[in-house]
Amino acid sequence: MKQKFDQQNVRKYHYFLLLSLIQKHKQISRSQLAELTAMSNTTVGKIVKELLQDGFIHEVGHVEGDLGRRANILELNPYGALIVGVEIDLTSVQIAIITLDGNVMDKRQFSFDIKGQPIVILNKVADGIMNLLQHLEPDNREKVIAIGVSMPGLVSWPEGKVSMVPQFRWNDVQVKSYLEEKLPLQVYVDNHVRSILLAERLFGTLNNTRHAACIYVGSGVGGAVMTNGDIVRGVSNTLGEIGHLTMDPNGPLCDCGRLGCLQTFISISELEKQAQMPIEQIFAAYERGEAWSMKLLDRAKQYLGIAIANIICMYNPQVVLLAGPMIEDFPLITSDIKHITDRYIWSPLEKSFVLAHATFGKASGVIGASAIVLNEFLTQAMND
């Protein structure tokens, strides 16, 4: 009996191993899968047949193989399964149906009062998800495998408990368990910066990158790190909370109660607080050459460059991904940022990295939320 059980586990492992390799390589042949996995052509053929029957992959043409033989090319079927992606942001919620290649099929958005009770907001999220599911064709509704939720704050993994979101004034909110009581699907909840990094690895520019870091600048500042293709979480899933690195012990007061945190120098909310005006007006004043705004934003650039240099020294990534509303909406903040970073980087690491920008823009939150699910679908099943 134990031998049969072990055989089933091995076959399940191989099934999801091939699926993950097809997802990673985008297009690949059976013979290439056999070469990568050291599995026999016969075994690969049987598992590929199952994946085709289950609808997770399809054949998309052929290439000339060894000895002039034609090799059929395999590709992930984007509509083989669907994911609900949810982004809970500072003032709004986005809910979308996402395909397995990271495209948005349908989307809803609504605003909420940040001062509202967490349960009221989560009820609206649950209602929005059910509304979106009900508008799917029945065949597509059956393909939805899970719900991913991306949000700021300290989120336990895999429990999905939000211990703190300072911007929301949320503390100890059981997001995962509450939504699973309301909805007919499994829910995964993670920090939004980690979800963006996952999205870029699965769907975007980091597909072939094994070591990367992400710096997110918006109403707050966050970070995430990937080593050997896996997200690094730390003992309490808080690795990457760079917004609260102390940059100047005599600096501005942070909303965490300490002085001189990184986010007091570069986040949108802190710059607005210090200038007493909306961020758009701060950048407009900078472009007019007004001294006060130039001083404020040049200082922000300096601290962003220092943060990047520190991240490189700590984690030695191939790529540092810059993301978030500040980066997307105000590209001036990253002008000359490589040159600024080079002033502070340790010389042996000067040429060890590249800077990149997130590719999904305003949809990065919901696509990132779907990446949380897809990553678990591909890896957890192999580890069960």
Side-chain angles (χ1 to χ4, degrees), residues 8-258:
Q8 289 174 341
N9 276 0
V10 169
R11 191 157 188 83
K12 182 180 179 183
Y13 172 85
H14 287 157
Y15 181 97
F16 284 98
L17 174 62
L18 294 192
L19 182 60
S20 65
L21 286 171
I22 294 167
Q23 191 281 328
K24 176 184 176 183
H25 289 273
K26 308 308 178 190
Q27 293 189 338
I28 193 169
S29 68
R30 290 169 175 82
S31 60
Q32 288 171 319
L33 286 171
E35 185 178 347
L36 284 171
T37 60
M39 293 162 59
S40 71
N41 288 324
T42 301
T43 301
V44 168
K46 288 179 180 178
I47 296 173
V48 165
K49 184 178 179 180
E50 288 182 39
L51 288 166
L52 287 166
Q53 290 172 343
D54 292 344
F56 287 126
I57 64 172
H58 54 198
E59 293 181 322
V60 290
H62 58 267
V63 294
E64 293 300 322
D66 295 337
L67 304 176
R69 296 172 181 168
R70 296 170 118 190
N72 290 327
I73 297 300
L74 305 169
E75 185 180 78
L76 196 70
N77 176 11
Y79 299 94
L82 301 172
I83 300 167
V84 176
V86 180
E87 179 191 29
I88 304 178
D89 204 354
L90 188 61
T91 58
S92 66
V93 172
Q94 289 190 72
I95 304 170
I97 302 295
I98 312 291
T99 62
L100 290 182
D101 59 353
N103 284 314
V104 177
M105 278 182 59
D106 195 7
K107 186 169 71 171
R108 302 281 189 277
Q109 183 170 346
F110 62 84
S111 300
F112 65 86
D113 182 358
I114 196 172
K115 297 177 183 176
Q117 290 295 316
I119 297 307
V120 174
I121 294 168
L122 292 178
N123 282 337
K124 291 184 71 174
V125 170
D127 290 344
I129 292 170
M130 288 304 300
N131 180 267
L132 194 57
L133 290 173
Q134 287 163 6
H135 280 82
L136 280 176
E137 294 292 329
D139 287 348
N140 281 335
R141 199 178 307 148
E142 292 180 2
K143 293 180 181 178
V144 178
I145 56 175
I147 299 162
V149 178
S150 167
M151 62 184 298
L154 304 182
V155 184
S156 65
W157 181 266
E159 298 82 8
K161 174 186 174 182
V162 177
S163 59
M164 179 188 297
V165 187
Q167 303 99 309
F168 294 9
R169 306 293 191 266
W170 284 19
N171 291 285
D172 297 326
V173 181
Q174 299 282 356
V175 175
K176 173 182 168 69
S177 61
Y178 187 82
L179 289 177
E180 286 183 339
E181 288 177 6
K182 295 280 184 178
L183 298 164
L185 293 163
Q186 189 166 2
V187 177
Y188 298 91
V189 185
D190 207 354
N191 175 272
H192 64 316
V193 189
R194 279 188 283 277
S195 76
I196 290 171
L197 187 55
L198 272 175
E200 292 292 335
R201 182 175 71 81
L202 291 173
F203 311 125
T205 58
L206 302 182
N207 184 55
N208 294 313
T209 302
R210 302 288 293 167
H211 305 275
C214 178
I215 295 178
Y216 179 99
V217 188
S219 59
V221 176
V225 176
M226 178 178 73
T227 299
N228 288 321
D230 295 322
I231 295 295
V232 186
R233 297 184 174 278
V235 68
S236 55
N237 200 37
T238 59
L239 190 146
E241 287 295 330
I242 63 170
H244 296 288
L245 288 174
T246 300
M247 306 299 282
D248 179 357
N250 298 310
L253 178 67
C254 182
D255 61 13
C256 75
R258 299 182 306 127

Side-chain angles (χ1 to χ4, degrees), residues 318-337:
Q318 298 163 269
V319 179
V320 177
L321 185 73
L322 303 176
M326 177 72 95
I327 307 297
E328 296 160 10
D329 297 340
F330 306 101
L332 180 65
I333 199 68
T334 55
S335 64
D336 300 323
I337 196 63

